[in-house]
Amino acid sequence: MTLPLSVSGQQFIAGRRVASGEATLPSLRAADGELTGYHFYPASREEAAAAAVAAEQAFPVYSQTSPDVRAHFLDTLANELDLLGEDFFTIAHQETALPLPRLQGERSRTSNQLRLFAGVLRRGDAFGVRIDTALPERKPLSRPDLRQYLTALGPVAVFGASNFPLAFSTAGGDTASALAAGCPVVVKAHPGHMATAELTAQAIVRAVAASGLPAGVFNMIFGTDIGAELVRHPAIQAVGFTGSLRGGKALWQLAQQRPQPIPVFAEMSAINPLIILPQAVAARAETLAHELVSSFTLGCGQFCTKPGLILALRGEGMSRFTQALKDAVGQVPAQVMLNAPTLAHYEEGVSAFEAHPNIQRLAGSDERVIGRAQARLYRAPASLLLAQDPLLQHEVFGPLAVLVEVADEGELQSILHAIPGQLTATVHAESDDGPLAQRLLPALSEKAGRVVFNGYPTGVEVCDAMVHGGPWPATTDSRGTSVGTQSIDRFLRPVCLQNVPAALLPPAVQDDNPLNLLRLINGQWTREAISPSVD
Amino acid sequence: MTLPLSVSGQQFIAGRRVASGEATLPSLRAADGELTGYHFYPASREEAAAAAVAAEQAFPVYSQTSPDVRAHFLDTLANELDLLGEDFFTIAHQETALPLPRLQGERSRTSNQLRLFAGVLRRGDAFGVRIDTALPERKPLSRPDLRQYLTALGPVAVFGASNFPLAFSTAGGDTASALAAGCPVVVKAHPGHMATAELTAQAIVRAVAASGLPAGVFNMIFGTDIGAELVRHPAIQAVGFTGSLRGGKALWQLAQQRPQPIPVFAEMSAINPLIILPQAVAARAETLAHELVSSFTLGCGQFCTKPGLILALRGEGMSRFTQALKDAVGQVPAQVMLNAPTLAHYEEGVSAFEAHPNIQRLAGSDERVIGRAQARLYRAPASLLLAQDPLLQHEVFGPLAVLVEVADEGELQSILHAIPGQLTATVHAESDDGPLAQRLLPALSEKAGRVVFNGYPTGVEVCDAMVHGGPWPATTDSRGTSVGTQSIDRFLRPVCLQNVPAALLPPAVQDDNPLNLLRLINGQWTREAISPSVD
């Protein structure tokens, strides 16, 4: 049989394709688990190490490239992604069961994300320049000339996510922000969409070559357990991950156990509480129920920001709201999930809910459709949340949500205190709910990276202001975001140059400001050059 | 005997003084180990927990205070510190053996550091505001209104350092930056200067009260092993520490083992390599030797930035340089260290150097002066550094340095690759050394938080541009600094508000920009207000 795509299944190491052993990893169709026809070579430990070393060897050159060079590279890569054609979407659809329009939208999101980082580099935000010029006459001690800027952390290991085969995978947000920061990347391809990953990697390799950059700027390996080797390798200086709490925590622990520990930016688990205040329930019970069910079953509930916990304040309209939720869930057809393990995990989650003595199923058919996930809605008492029942602490990935009726504001505040950190928290309020909403805002901001009003958390805008992060276990580092331009900060660290001669200064901190950066100079933000001292 | 100072030795918990058990912790004179007369109560586990809870209870109010309120509080605290009189300096000198002029300078540094953070709050840098306004007509999807700002992380545990009883202790840099960020603080007083800590804490308590803030904004406990209780307490959300690698790593590991891990910003161990290029050796052998010995024996070598490793490139002048180093070390008198354990650690370090078969003592008297540290200079072959000999990996706290003669640039680059992360790296160069210096700069920036030219790393300016940080083991997080205004970032995290009604927005992200902040609005940095949308 001749396969339509040029997919070798080998590792990408410094522009070369490398493999040993047998191609034992099959690419599977999400819909039925059958072979797509493509097979991949699991990377050996030596190949994982070679990929890390390739990134390390590219680092001295790549980290010192000008922002213009990196911006041009990211634009070139974006254009390469935009050229991916029908073949690409066909295999991506086969591997993930995600609908074609969704995949096409995700491709645009991914290439636009790269262009956004190109814009950040041209805008110059990412340099964080702060200069305090010398004060030779200061008493009792003179002040030296001090120039701070942000520099690339080092080679970054990126773990592709199952649920966004483009936007959070090979050329996704972690890769884009690391490359923008000046860090070479080693991607560990997700086993759920390896052919998609390979075609994307081929596009990156073309962009690296067209930009005249060292080939080791981008590397990718295949495998199931090989990620640990990457995280342990001394050349790797940071890790980006989007996936499960278990997976993220394991990588994070490995990184701490290294002789030189490194940061792991893992986006892991959130139940994304959605709070409905009394007037909103009363005024919009049916609309809310309809929209909410659409949100938590969208894409089969396979979003990090799926609202999995509905906290509705008791009052007029609650029974209409509950009935409308049940009706809406009843209308949701069974859906194919990303892959068989994901469906199995979802079914485990459902079984745990079914078996819990204090949790009641409100909606969701008993009928089992082989290979598909049925949406489920459960009801739990507030006391279970307050008792930090383990089943309600972490996300069930899939079209499942839990409704909790909350007695009053006091109970709501106690619940917000009891639940763990979140990516998002949402409030639905009418104008009469305003004072209560205002009192809730600080607690919500303390618990989540993003607070949404009268909307739904699914749909994460890629822009300057986005925060896709939050306190543990939503992420390993609440001070970062994995979506939006601020995500570049994860892969940068400050360096201060003291009394370095003008001829040796990098452009970002030179007196005449050749990059036209906004800089903090002697306590003032300015794009002005530094005038020569007159003493 | 009546003691001159009002020192109760009890814990500071939410403005109250609390103690149980016996005051078994004596304050000791550094010079002779005798009692100063003051005794302190080791905090019980319950008291440590109460201090953490007090900070947690103050958090909702304190974290929401306006920057003006916090700036005024920091200024008030700075003024309180400036009022500390002769009694304070007398006891600080007794407890640490640091000379009075040094302590007076450190007090100015500490109060000016608080004023600098007040300035940062008034300047508004610390809000990091990024706004992307709604695009309701955008196709295919509308864009919501998104407003990002930085918010306080939560209560911070601060561990006082031995070597800076003011600037890195009770009211030091970690406390100042946490308070500026809006985080209440629990200080664990260093056992080496408890009376100094108590008088400083009393000043803070007066400033908290005068500013009308919740008393739990500041708390302090005494004890030796009680710090672990603080780090484990669920109310604590971050840790600041300056001290040994062993101590910092232990706290960092505890923090990772919590059900909800938290960041630990520990500044730990650096040998601060100082590189002397061939022309500099030839041109300035004697001057360099004299200045360098002054730097590594300054304050008995008890600085985090002490240059402990001298890498001199072989060439003309090397023998003059070595002889001048030996002569200068011979002139350094034995000095009293901060306390008896510090002296004991130093003597252990010296013994290890003496016992090493491949390390040779170049200078430093055999004469033992009881209770005092003798400066020592050793010579080690480059091969030991390249082999990552453990003795040359981490700092010996005290007046000791190691000279390594380096054959050529290749060997120097290999050494820079082999040594661990550093707070500082220094280069001495003459103009003919320029091209070599330029080639070294990227490697030095990769290894250290601050790169110094033709100077000495001791002396850390407190300003916007300073970086007192660096890759592991210099610190636990190379992306932070513990000196300078950028240090506030350690205690802040971003939050994004999506479609939050104008009436509920915090001032930093309101349309009319009442705090006059420089904000990133739709991709442009501006202090302009956001004009009402016209659609």
Side-chain angles (χ1 to χ4, degrees), chain B residues 78-403:
Chain B
N79 295 341
E80 285 287 347
L81 293 186
D82 282 349
L83 291 173
L84 292 171
E86 201 177 323
D87 285 355
F88 172 77
F89 289 109
T90 302
I91 190 73
H93 171 67
Q94 284 182 18
E95 289 192 319
T96 63
L98 295 172
L100 281 177
R102 147 75 196 264
L103 289 168
Q104 283 157 346
E106 194 181 325
R107 188 261 298 273
S108 297
R109 174 184 170 150
T110 308
S111 51
N112 285 335
Q113 179 164 267
L114 289 158
R115 293 188 181 100
L116 190 66
F117 280 108
V120 167
L121 290 170
R122 295 195 175 103
R123 196 168 67 196
D125 297 8
F127 288 95
V129 174
R130 300 166 151 244
I131 297 175
D132 290 300
T133 56
L135 298 174
E137 311 299 330
R138 192 184 62 174
K139 302 292 174 202
L141 290 169
S142 63
R143 181 173 82 180
D145 179 275
L146 294 157
R147 299 181 185 226
Q148 180 189 138
Y149 66 104
L150 296 172
T151 188
L153 209 51
V156 175
V158 171
F159 287 76
S162 67
N163 59 341
F164 279 88
L166 286 93
F168 284 89
S169 290
T170 312
D174 286 342
T175 298
S177 52
L179 291 176
C183 299
V185 163
V186 183
V187 171
K188 212 300 258 136
H190 194 282
H193 42 71
M194 293 182 288
T196 308
E198 166 145 1
L199 294 177
T200 311
Q202 290 176 9
I204 303 178
V205 168
R206 287 193 293 274
V208 170
S211 305
L213 295 170
V217 163
F218 176 80
N219 312 274
M220 184 168 81
I221 61 173
F222 298 98
T224 46
D225 297 327
I226 198 67
E229 290 301 316
L230 274 188
V231 174
R232 282 196 201 103
H233 196 282
I236 297 297
Q237 293 299 301
V239 177
F241 171 90
T242 297
S244 68
L245 177 59
R246 191 170 152 181
K249 196 171 169 183
L251 295 180
W252 176 80
Q253 285 172 334
L254 276 177
Q256 314 304 334
Q257 288 156 10
R258 292 166 44 119
Q260 178 226 3
I262 56 172
V264 172
F265 303 102
E267 189 265 88
M268 303 183 296
S269 167
I271 50 176
N272 300 299
L274 187 142
I275 298 161
I276 308 181
L277 299 188
Q279 294 304 317
V281 180
R284 296 189 263 133
E286 290 78 8
T287 314
L288 270 172
H290 176 78
E291 293 171 345
L292 183 45
V293 173
S294 293
S295 176
F296 87 75
T297 63
L298 180 74
C300 203
Q302 299 170 124
F303 291 103
C304 318
T305 52
K306 178 200 76 176
L309 177 64
I310 307 160
L311 299 167
L313 263 82
R314 230 168 253 157
E316 188 208 325
M318 177 64 88
S319 59
R320 283 189 294 129
F321 177 60
T322 309
Q323 186 58 49
L325 282 173
K326 290 162 73 170
D327 293 347
V329 171
Q331 303 295 315
V332 178
Q335 297 176 75
V336 175
M337 295 196 83
L338 288 159
N339 48 54
T342 301
L343 178 60
H345 284 145
Y346 177 66
E347 289 178 341
E348 280 168 31
V350 167
S351 299
F353 273 82
E354 294 287 333
H356 197 296
N358 297 320
I359 293 179
Q360 172 199 1
R361 194 204 312 166
L362 282 182
S365 167
D366 259 337
E367 189 196 353
R368 199 151 185 269
V369 183
I370 296 297
R372 289 175 184 241
Q374 292 276 14
R376 295 286 176 120
L377 178 70
Y378 292 90
R379 175 153 57 193
S383 56
L384 275 193
L385 278 175
L386 293 169
Q388 302 186 318
D389 188 283
L391 201 55
L392 299 182
Q393 296 281 299
H394 304 304
E395 77 182 9
V396 175
F397 193 71
L400 181 153
V402 181
L403 172 67

Side-chain angles (χ1 to χ4, degrees), chain A residues 343-355 378 391 396 400:
Chain A
L343 178 60
H345 284 146
Y346 177 65
E347 289 179 340
E348 279 168 33
V350 167
S351 301
F353 273 82
E354 293 289 334
Y378 292 90
L391 202 54
V396 176
L400 181 153

Side-chain angles (χ1 to χ4, degrees), chain A residues 436-454:
Chain A
L436 174 51
Q438 186 146 35
R439 290 193 296 274
L440 289 173
L441 200 54
L444 298 175
S445 300
E446 196 180 328
K447 203 55 93 169
R450 181 163 54 111
V451 178
V452 180
F453 257 66
N454 285 342

